[in-house]
Amino acid sequence: MSSPTAQPTPKKYILVTGGVISGIGKGVIASSTGLLLRTMGLRVTAIKIDPYLNIDAGTMSPLDHGEVFVLDDGGEVDLDLGNYERFLDVTLSRENNITTGKIYRDVIERERKGDYLGKTVQVVPHITDAIQDWVERVAKIPVDDSGLEPDVCIVEMGGTVGDIESAPFIEAMRQFQFRVGHENFCLIHVSMVPIVGSVGEQKTKPTQASVRDLRGLGLTPDLIACRSSAPLEASVAQKISMFCHVPSTNVLAVHDCPSVYHVPLLLHEQQLLTTISKRLNLAPRETQASVSLFSKWKQLCQRLERLHDVVKIVLVGKYTYLHDSYISVVKSLEHASLSCNRKLKLEWVEATDLEPEMQSTDALKYHDAWKSVCSANGILIPGGFGVRGTEGMILAAKHARENKIPYLGICLGFQIAVIEFARNVVGLEGANSTELDADTKHDVVIFMPEISKTHVGGTMRLGSKNTLFGAGSEGSIIRRLYGGKPSVDERHRHRYEVNPKYVDQLEASGMKFIGRDEKEERMIILERDMKDHPYFVAVQFHPEYKTKPLKPIPTFLGFILAASGLLPEYLDSLDPKTQQAKSNLGRYASFDGEAPSELLSAMNIKVEEASGIKMVLNAKK
């Protein structure tokens, strides 16, 4: 008699919806929930539903929708997928972002092929079925190093319950709960509890109305996450429990925290894992790695609260009025600063405020902007498109180069560094990019020949690309920071490149292009020699897309080290001659442990400097 075959464990789904207002923090709560599930040893994936008609986020202005996040496969997606990758330490694909445009495109293409066999194509069942099929298909795709199917799929519903554009998705999820089974479907509803009046009374009516709308659409929340500026009062939680038909233990108080990294700890304190495990019948598969993950995360938050030494970074950008436009850059700076045991002080400078015209238009803005730039420990110029503000960026890059202030340029910031150097060092008067001046005499940055000039959506050089370090680059700062690898894979998003015909002139004047594309034709990484500048580095790719709280990106790590005055010591520690140092670097051995004395000795670092570098010593396990 043969033994019975073990039945596969059914996949679990957690839907996160939002009410009252948009931008309430659904993405952070979804990511935090996934992180806690990972501490149980479970494999977690995530899907973001965006109800807009765009195929993807690629053509949206950062000032309208925040950062466009780029994935390994070139998908241009909502910034929440960046949160998922950072918190869950996974690699997602464009399929993990569903939009109304994608769903309708697929359904219409199927109708044109005749797949519906002459039936009238309608929102129900054809659109709703397409949504459910998409979610079920993507939930099976491996997203971590294990190569195995995820155990849990978290689905975040963009927008607010009751929005017209999200109606087909809400209906699809109403049907989906029966398709997968009640025991495999859990709903977390995120709502607002505003504080009004001089006495600061917390009001529950908006949450009650939001839950009523949700229940009217056929979905009943299992947990309600109440966002508020202050901790939720017990009587208020009890009231929400009573009027929204959920147990009091399932009302989560999510008040404002010192950082988003504290949210998983806040949810853990309120027994979120216990509640979800019971609701979905989840069995933990704890390993040493999963257990240590929670410990490391807790220590990370403790470290954030104890930082004292400040590093001041000025970000000179085009979209600084909406900080979410650069959210991955900000997170990269935070992660690198934390690893260097430094408290990040980030100042935002709108690039146009640095331009001479601003002095006559608004002298106060002009002087405040330059005051920030001149007092910075480091200057960063991120990506962007269009001519607005670029002359201000060029002036900031010039100031950083001439005054030996650590500089990091990303994408447009890379091209700005080339333009500034060509004008003021090589002597190419009026040098520019053809994006900024089509008639420039010296087109040091040009449109890439393979890129479409008629379509803008999804036509850039996108996704993970390999960059080769050139011969003789072994001693360069960036290559050493990347561990001496012959090549690196980073994500790109650009249409313009350095004009190859000017490369020899630029390099003859002291600019080193140490990284190039696979054909060694396209310039990707530049830097100045350390004897000329403490840290002048620019990259055509976007390193910020791959940052993780426990794994700072080398480009940003070097930038913060230089801005903190720690880079020379750190680079010395990478010398193969100091084997003890090399064996101890790059590990989160302990967040609260001191650097080993023998390591400090090998690096020739004084004891009083050790506290400034010990987090670098424990950087990535």
Side-chain angles (χ1 to χ4, degrees):
M1 184 176 179
S2 60
S3 59
T5 305
Q7 294 296 316
T9 305
K11 196 171 302 299
K12 309 296 181 178
Y13 295 89
I14 298 174
L15 175 65
V16 180
T17 59
V20 185
I21 59 172
S22 60
I24 201 169
K26 298 186 301 294
V28 173
I29 289 173
S31 302
S32 300
T33 302
L35 174 72
L36 291 176
L37 291 169
R38 285 193 62 232
T39 66
M40 294 174 61
L42 300 175
R43 296 182 296 277
V44 183
T45 188
I47 296 172
K48 173 69 188 296
I49 293 175
D50 285 307
Y52 47 68
L53 280 169
N54 305 62
I55 296 295
D56 57 36
T59 56
M60 293 184 180
S61 166
L63 290 172
D64 181 60
H65 195 68
E67 174 188 78
V68 176
F69 190 78
V70 177
L71 302 167
D72 269 2
D73 66 354
E76 297 173 287
V77 297
D78 185 84
L79 59 82
D80 277 317
L81 273 80
N83 273 330
Y84 304 155
E85 286 204 341
R86 286 189 286 270
F87 274 66
L88 306 181
D89 197 12
V90 295
T91 301
L92 303 176
S93 72
R94 68 182 76 223
E95 301 290 281
N96 291 81
N97 191 196
I98 305 175
T99 68
T100 297
K102 287 181 180 179
I103 294 294
Y104 273 77
R105 178 192 62 187
D106 288 2
V107 169
I108 290 170
E109 284 179 357
R110 290 186 62 190
E111 185 274 332
R112 292 290 83 187
K113 291 178 185 175
D115 289 355
Y116 295 114
L117 302 176
K119 291 182 180 178
T120 301
V121 179
Q122 298 174 294
V123 172
V124 181
H126 301 101
I127 294 295
T128 53
D129 281 353
I131 294 167
Q132 294 176 73
D133 292 343
W134 192 304
V135 169
E136 209 161 27
R137 172 174 57 82
V138 174
K140 297 176 182 178
I141 299 173
V143 292
D144 58 24
D145 294 336
S146 72
L148 301 173
E149 272 193 31
D151 303 300
V152 181
C153 177
I154 297 175
V155 182
E156 180 192 346
M157 180 75 68
T160 307
V161 170
D163 292 345
I164 292 173
E165 59 265 31
S166 65
F169 294 99
I170 293 288
E171 171 58 23
M173 290 296 100
R174 183 195 70 79
Q175 297 175 23
F176 193 68
Q177 64 184 328
F178 302 110
R179 178 168 173 169
V180 300
H182 177 74
E183 67 281 3
N184 300 318
F185 185 91
C186 176
L187 197 161
I188 301 175
H189 185 63
V190 185
S191 187
M192 186 78 179
V193 178
I195 297 176
V196 298
S198 58
V199 295
E201 184 182 1
Q202 294 179 327
K203 293 293 187 179
T204 65
K205 274 292 187 287
T207 295
Q208 292 181 46
S210 175
V211 171
R212 184 170 62 246
D213 290 345
L214 187 63
R215 289 167 65 86
L217 294 169
L219 288 168
T220 301
D222 297 291
L223 300 99
I224 300 176
C226 300
R227 287 284 293 111
S228 182
S229 58
L232 204 65
E233 296 171 11
S235 60
V236 172
Q238 196 64 42
K239 190 174 181 181
I240 290 172
S241 168
M242 179 171 61
F243 286 104
C244 297
H245 200 61
V246 296
S248 57
T249 54
N250 292 19
V251 178
L252 306 173
V254 189
H255 56 79
D256 291 351
C257 295
S259 75
V260 294
Y261 310 114
H262 287 75
V263 176
L265 304 184
L266 182 63
L267 296 176
H268 186 266
E269 288 173 5
Q270 298 175 69
Q271 306 299 314
L272 175 64
L273 278 182
T274 302
T275 304
I276 289 181
S277 297
K278 183 177 179 181
R279 173 66 181 78
L280 295 176
N281 193 27
L282 289 172
R285 287 200 305 265
E286 291 181 344
T287 62
Q288 185 177 354
S290 67
V291 173
S292 65
L293 172 61
F294 184 75
S295 174
K296 289 175 183 177
W297 200 272
K298 189 173 182 179
Q299 290 170 23
L300 180 147
C301 293
Q302 291 171 347
R303 174 70 64 178
L304 273 169
E305 296 165 3
R306 298 171 183 170
L307 297 176
H308 299 291
D309 295 334
V310 174
V311 58
K312 179 183 172 182
I313 302 300
V314 167
L315 187 153
V316 181
K318 296 164 62 74
Y319 318 113
T320 58
Y321 296 117
L322 181 64
H323 292 180
D324 272 359
S325 300
Y326 301 112
I327 188 169
S328 290
V329 172
V330 174
K331 297 306 174 187
S332 298
L333 289 169
E334 288 177 356
H335 303 162
S337 298
L338 178 60
S339 74
C340 297
N341 205 28
R342 288 293 186 270
K343 185 176 183 178
L344 175 67
K345 181 182 179 183
L346 180 60
E347 294 194 2
W348 301 80
V349 171
E350 185 68 20
T352 52
D353 293 348
L354 297 172
E355 296 175 353
E357 294 79 7
M358 184 57 70
Q359 192 168 11
S360 55
T361 306
D362 192 332
L364 183 60
K365 270 189 176 181
Y366 177 80
H367 289 295
D368 284 347
W370 274 108
K371 182 180 177 181
S372 291
V373 169
C374 292
S375 61
N377 298 128
I379 295 172
L380 188 151
I381 298 182
F385 298 93
V387 68
R388 183 181 63 83
T390 51
E391 289 301 320
M393 292 178 174
I394 290 169
L395 290 170
K398 182 175 185 283
H399 179 82
R401 179 182 57 79
E402 291 182 340
N403 294 279
K404 301 190 186 313
I405 299 172
Y407 173 89
L408 177 59
I410 298 171
C411 196
L412 176 61
F414 170 84
Q415 297 165 11
I416 290 293
V418 171
I419 294 168
E420 188 280 324
F421 194 84
R423 289 181 185 180
N424 300 311
V425 178
V426 182
L428 301 176
E429 185 179 352
N432 216 328
S433 164
T434 54
E435 177 188 14
L436 313 178
D437 180 5
D439 300 320
T440 178
K441 291 189 298 181
H442 299 292
D443 52 347
V444 293
V445 177
I446 58 174
F447 196 83
M448 291 189 289
E450 71 270 28
I451 303 298
S452 171
K453 292 189 176 182
T454 58
H455 289 70
V456 295
T459 59
M460 287 185 275
R461 188 169 188 255
L462 292 165
S464 182
K465 309 290 182 184
N466 190 245
T467 297
L468 305 176
F469 286 110
S473 66
E474 292 79 9
S476 69
I477 299 172
I478 285 296
R479 185 164 181 180
R480 292 167 71 187
L481 288 170
Y482 272 103
K485 298 177 182 177
S487 66
V488 293
D489 292 300
E490 295 286 2
R491 298 175 183 178
H492 292 244
R493 185 176 187 249
H494 62 107
R495 292 190 182 90
Y496 290 81
E497 64 175 335
V498 174
N499 191 337
K501 76 178 185 180
Y502 286 97
V503 169
D504 290 342
Q505 273 183 277
L506 292 164
E507 291 199 315
S509 298
M511 178 169 280
K512 296 182 178 179
F513 292 102
I514 62 164
R516 308 189 181 201
D517 71 345
E518 302 93 328
K519 296 180 180 178
E520 299 191 17
E521 297 171 349
R522 187 163 285 148
M523 306 303 114
I524 306 296
I525 304 173
L526 70 83
E527 70 172 49
R528 297 294 306 280
D529 196 289
M530 275 193 77
K531 70 177 186 293
D532 299 323
H533 198 286
Y535 191 84
F536 194 95
V537 170
V539 293
Q540 184 63 76
F541 52 73
H542 287 265
E544 70 271 22
Y545 291 143
K546 285 191 170 184
T547 188
K548 303 289 190 298
L550 306 181
K551 300 175 185 175
I553 293 295
T555 43
F556 281 86
L557 179 60
F559 179 54
I560 296 296
L561 282 167
S564 304
L566 299 169
L567 183 60
E569 290 87 352
Y570 181 71
L571 291 176
D572 285 346
S573 75
L574 301 178
D575 192 324
K577 295 176 183 177
T578 55
Q579 292 299 324
Q580 178 63 35
K582 190 174 182 181
S583 67
N584 279 278
L585 279 161
R587 298 195 179 128
Y588 268 119
S590 169
F591 269 87
D592 53 0
E594 297 293 333
S597 57
E598 67 271 21
L599 175 56
L600 297 177
S601 175
M603 293 172 63
N604 195 27
I605 298 176
K606 296 177 182 178
V607 174
E608 58 265 29
E609 296 173 338
S611 63
I613 200 168
K614 66 184 178 185
M615 280 305 292
V616 176
L617 304 177
N618 300 328
K620 51 192 177 194
K621 192 166 186 178

